[in-house]
Amino acid sequence: MATFFGEVLSVYSRAVEEDDEELIEEENEEDQEIRRELEEKREVHLHWSTEVSESLKSGSKLPCSEFVLAVGHNAARFLSVYVLTSTKWDKVGHASVWNEMSQAATGQTGVESACVFYRQKDNPSVLICQVTCHIAEDQLFQWTEKVFDCLQHRELNVTVLSDSSVTEYKTADYLHCRSAPFLCSLHTAAFSGQSVCQSLEQPNIVTGLPAAVLNHCEVHQIAAVLYQCYSDVIGPDSVTMETYKPALTKLAKSIQLDPSPSKDVFRKFVRTNNIESNIYI
Amino acid sequence: MFISLLNASPCFKDFTLVMPAVAVGNVGQLAVDLLVSTLNMSRVGYMHTDCLIPMAGNNPYATCKEDAEELHTPAEVYTAAELNLAVLQIRAPIVQTKSKKFRQLLMSWIKSSGFSRTIVLSSSHAYQRDDQQLQDTPLRYLATPSLLKGSAEALKELGWREMERVPAFPGLTDASAEPRLHIPGGGITKGLYTDSCAEDLRLAVLLLFCSEGDNVPDAFTLVNHLNDWLHLLDNPNIHGNKWKIPTSWSLLFGSGIPPALF
């Protein structure tokens, strides 16, 4: 595509090639073997603690009344700063996901901390999951199926917190009337509560893991609400994290927020951007 | 997998199914949007599958504040019982490695639901047309032999052009090479058609040659073309355009312009 100024831009094409499939049918055994191995490697694996995996093996699913899923660095760190430090939480498992983006993660520790499940000690039916890794488009459905397959669906309430860039937010009146960061919500038909912010209006949509979880909950009639935070800051920052606060006030009975986390906690989770990333050194 | 929204699964017996193929410019999907919003079709179920990339949003056909907050998923089925019409809307691209699986899923659902016929709305790259395809209208159709048995007359009356087969090796005169069906940028269109021919399904493809860009006019062209056959709306172009544009089509080219620019 050429613009007014003559530069040529490569644009994302929605067109799909029909010949791909014919090629797949023509490929030899070795190609198929590679394809199979790749597919196996891309499978999502859940690793639960011994106690949990034993109970899952015996056929009883994890009792769960509140499931809070945080997707993205700000959402995940919001939970780390305001929730996971205040009450006592157990790490009960993690999910490992391999895809084209995961090479950058450093070693085993990186993989293990990218998608972690925590359970409240006093009330084991409260579950938290933090996801900071990239989950590829073909893995989203599988991740959701596998995780929800481990949870009891009766009286389950799902809250999803998700990061997004304000540049992705579409509105007719230019953004001057709304100051970023702000929250928008989207909920399934089974959700009966009152949302704490305005609803995400069309033509805005959500994609990725939050969408996969909402789809699953809608189809299986689980009460779920998504709070999408539109922020204008790249990388984790405390103002964006604070935006999520009202989203969890509804869950005050089961999840207590630390009203004023200490500076040290913040420092641990909000690193100032590396100076190297600035072009004006 | 089709999941019904109602307690009892809906009856599609003798219904006509209209569905898009995710293709160049999303013309089929836009045309289906026009059908759903204009005919006030009601949602009866979801197509819940790992073959589509997940997306979610509020009601794309919202008419007032009350019905705006309603979660919608990547693939949903709508019906207009009085017209014996069902529509499958697909809102997300197909996961690249799973297009064959998705086709099989659709085929088995179509067969088990008892639709009287299926119409696929699709598009193909305009720039890949050959000399004969460049002439006349950009609209084409394809019909399986079993559909032609009953509808050949109707299609003949409409005076539509069938999609041309193109030589496998253009420029080479090889008598042994049979001309083949080629729908570049048409996604699963060709696969659905050939599968339906093989399995004796009553299926037609309506397609339009187009390029990516503002494809709203293309959607109107395609939906009017479909209406010539199905007569869902009477004279849609007299007294202005009767097709109703859904609210989700707003801001197709991004947000408003910053006033500080001027």
Side-chain angles (χ1 to χ4, degrees), chain A residues 72-104:
Chain A
H73 285 286
N74 276 315
R77 287 174 204 207
F78 159 73
L79 291 182
S80 296
V81 171
Y82 288 92
V83 179
L84 292 169
T85 48
S86 60
T87 34
K88 293 194 169 171
W89 294 81
D90 280 329
K91 184 183 163 189
V92 286
H94 70 271
S96 61
V97 178
W98 182 89
N99 54 45
E100 56 283 351
M101 301 281 275
S102 24
Q103 270 93 345

Side-chain angles (χ1 to χ4, degrees), chain A residues 77 79-83 85 241 258 260-270:
Chain A
R77 287 174 204 207
L79 291 182
S80 296
V81 171
Y82 288 92
V83 179
T85 48
M241 282 182 212
D258 186 351
S260 50
S262 72
K263 272 188 188 148
D264 289 336
V265 178
F266 264 118
R267 216 166 277 142
K268 198 170 138 199
F269 291 105
V270 185

Side-chain angles (χ1 to χ4, degrees), chain A residues 32-47:
Chain A
Q32 285 173 358
E33 178 77 30
I34 293 170
R35 206 172 278 275
R36 230 187 344 261
E37 270 175 30
L38 253 178
E39 208 149 284
E40 263 169 40
K41 216 174 166 188
R42 290 179 80 89
E43 204 155 294
V44 177
H45 293 284
L46 297 181
H47 310 271

Side-chain angles (χ1 to χ4, degrees), chain B:
Chain B
M1 178 177 51
F2 176 75
I3 293 180
S4 173
L5 203 110
L6 319 157
N7 291 329
S9 49
C11 176
F12 298 122
K13 191 100 187 68
D14 297 327
F15 273 44
T16 297
L17 173 70
V18 178
M19 59 165 284
V22 182
V24 197
N26 306 71
V27 180
Q29 294 158 288
L30 291 169
V32 166
D33 258 353
L34 288 174
L35 287 180
V36 176
S37 89
T38 309
L39 303 174
N40 271 326
M41 300 181 78
S42 44
R43 182 168 65 160
V44 292
Y46 316 96
M47 200 60 87
H48 190 56
T49 163
D50 62 340
C51 304
L52 294 172
I53 295 170
M55 59 77 64
N58 272 319
N59 190 359
Y61 314 111
T63 49
C64 55
K65 269 210 155 122
E66 284 70 43
D67 66 354
E69 276 186 46
E70 197 175 74
L71 192 79
H72 284 248
T73 67
E76 295 179 319
V77 181
Y78 294 80
T79 57
E82 67 284 1
L83 293 165
N84 270 7
L85 181 74
V87 152
L88 166 68
Q89 176 62 304
I90 303 171
R91 302 195 174 94
I94 300 161
V95 173
Q96 227 182 10
T97 50
K98 289 184 174 150
S99 76
K100 196 172 178 181
K101 188 182 165 192
F102 185 59
R103 245 170 44 209
Q104 288 164 346
L105 176 113
L106 286 178
M107 291 292 289
S108 66
W109 176 65
I110 290 170
K111 273 194 270 179
S112 64
S113 304
F115 293 112
S116 66
R117 58 184 168 180
T118 303
I119 301 169
V120 179
L121 302 181
S122 181
S123 47
S124 181
H125 279 305
Y127 74 90
Q128 289 204 18
R129 280 176 294 180
D130 69 2
D131 288 354
Q132 48 168 350
Q133 289 173 335
L134 277 167
Q135 292 165 7
D136 281 353
T137 159
L139 291 152
R140 293 290 183 278
Y141 82 92
L142 280 168
T144 61
S146 51
L147 183 88
L148 277 178
K149 265 181 220 159
S151 310
E153 276 298 304
L155 288 170
K156 209 173 171 186
E157 256 171 49
L158 286 163
W160 285 1
R161 277 185 71 168
E162 196 178 351
M163 180 73 172
E164 297 86 351
R165 268 69 175 169
V166 295
F169 308 104
L172 291 178
T173 42
D174 183 357
S176 64
E178 229 175 81
R180 63 195 186 107
L181 185 64
H182 186 48
I183 310 176
I188 59 168
T189 310
K190 186 185 162 187
L192 273 178
Y193 176 70
T194 45
D195 284 0
S196 305
C197 285
E199 297 190 32
D200 227 18
L201 216 70
R202 293 167 54 79
L203 178 135
V205 175
L206 301 194
L207 67 81
L208 176 82
F209 291 114
C210 71
S211 305
E212 301 239 359
D214 180 357
N215 298 100
V216 169
D218 297 325
F220 282 113
T221 309
L222 193 61
V223 82
N224 280 323
H225 193 58
L226 174 76
N227 194 56
D228 288 341
W229 183 19
L230 299 188
H231 306 293
L232 301 166
L233 276 190
D234 307 322
N235 308 320
N237 289 323
I238 298 174
H239 313 300
N241 201 336
K242 277 189 190 162
W243 298 107
K244 203 165 92 194
I245 292 181
T247 38
S248 53
W249 285 19
S250 60
L251 308 176
L252 274 180
F253 300 98
S255 292
I257 299 157
L261 208 61
F262 306 105

Side-chain angles (χ1 to χ4, degrees), chain A residues 27-281:
Chain A
E27 68 189 6
N28 60 29
E29 242 171 66
E30 200 182 335
D31 292 336
Q32 285 173 358
E33 178 77 30
I34 293 170
R35 206 172 278 275
R36 230 187 344 261
E37 270 175 30
L38 253 178
E39 208 149 284
E40 263 169 40
K41 216 174 166 188
R42 290 179 80 89
E43 204 155 294
V44 177
H45 293 284
L46 297 181
H47 310 271
W48 297 106
S49 65
T50 34
E51 181 215 341
V52 174
S53 54
E54 265 168 28
S55 80
L56 282 174
K57 253 182 220 159
S58 67
S60 58
K61 295 183 175 184
L62 274 176
C64 190
S65 60
E66 297 293 346
F67 179 50
V68 179
L69 172 69
V71 186
H73 285 286
N74 276 315
R77 287 174 204 207
F78 159 73
L79 291 182
S80 296
V81 171
Y82 288 92
V83 179
L84 292 169
T85 48
S86 60
T87 34
K88 293 194 169 171
W89 294 81
D90 280 329
K91 184 183 163 189
V92 286
H94 70 271
S96 61
V97 178
W98 182 89
N99 54 45
E100 56 283 351
M101 301 281 275
S102 24
Q103 270 93 345
T106 45
Q108 196 66 23
T109 49
V111 174
E112 276 189 22
S113 61
C115 177
V116 194
F117 295 90
Y118 296 92
R119 193 166 66 171
Q120 208 170 52
K121 277 183 181 159
D122 313 330
N123 182 2
S125 72
V126 179
L127 216 64
I128 277 181
C129 176
Q130 292 176 305
V131 183
T132 50
C133 60
H134 169 76
I135 301 178
E137 286 168 341
D138 56 319
Q139 296 171 320
L140 296 167
F141 191 91
Q142 202 193 113
W143 188 98
T144 314
E145 290 276 297
K146 285 195 171 172
V147 169
F148 278 85
D149 212 30
C150 298
L151 307 179
Q152 260 178 30
H153 283 188
R154 268 193 58 215
E155 283 167 34
L156 171 63
N157 285 299
V158 181
T159 308
V160 186
L161 310 176
S162 163
D163 290 357
S164 194
S165 168
V166 78
T167 53
E168 281 171 28
Y169 187 79
K170 285 184 185 174
T171 173
D173 40 340
Y174 189 67
L175 284 171
H176 69 275
C177 58
R178 303 192 72 165
S179 53
F182 57 90
L183 281 183
C184 280
S185 74
L186 198 60
H187 60 81
T188 62
F191 176 79
S192 56
Q194 192 78 38
S195 161
V196 296
C197 60
Q198 69 141 22
S199 185
L200 184 73
E201 67 258 288
Q202 279 282 354
N204 292 292
I205 53 164
V206 292
T207 53
L209 195 57
V213 170
L214 281 182
N215 285 341
H216 181 95
C217 292
E218 173 74 15
V219 166
H220 292 94
Q221 290 158 16
I222 299 169
V225 59
L226 160 73
Y227 293 105
Q228 177 107 327
C229 176
Y230 289 94
S231 171
D232 53 358
V233 183
I234 305 166
D237 82 299
S238 54
V239 180
T240 308
M241 282 182 212
E242 233 171 83
T243 319
Y244 286 113
K245 265 175 149 179
L248 287 196
T249 48
K250 290 262 165 194
L251 306 178
K253 264 187 212 159
S254 37
I255 297 175
Q256 283 81 38
L257 290 184
D258 186 351
S260 50
S262 72
K263 272 188 188 148
D264 289 336
V265 178
F266 264 118
R267 216 166 277 142
K268 198 170 138 199
F269 291 105
V270 185
R271 252 175 306 142
T272 42
N273 283 341
N274 288 339
I275 197 83
E276 294 98 70
S277 66
N278 192 335
I279 58 166
Y280 304 108
I281 296 177

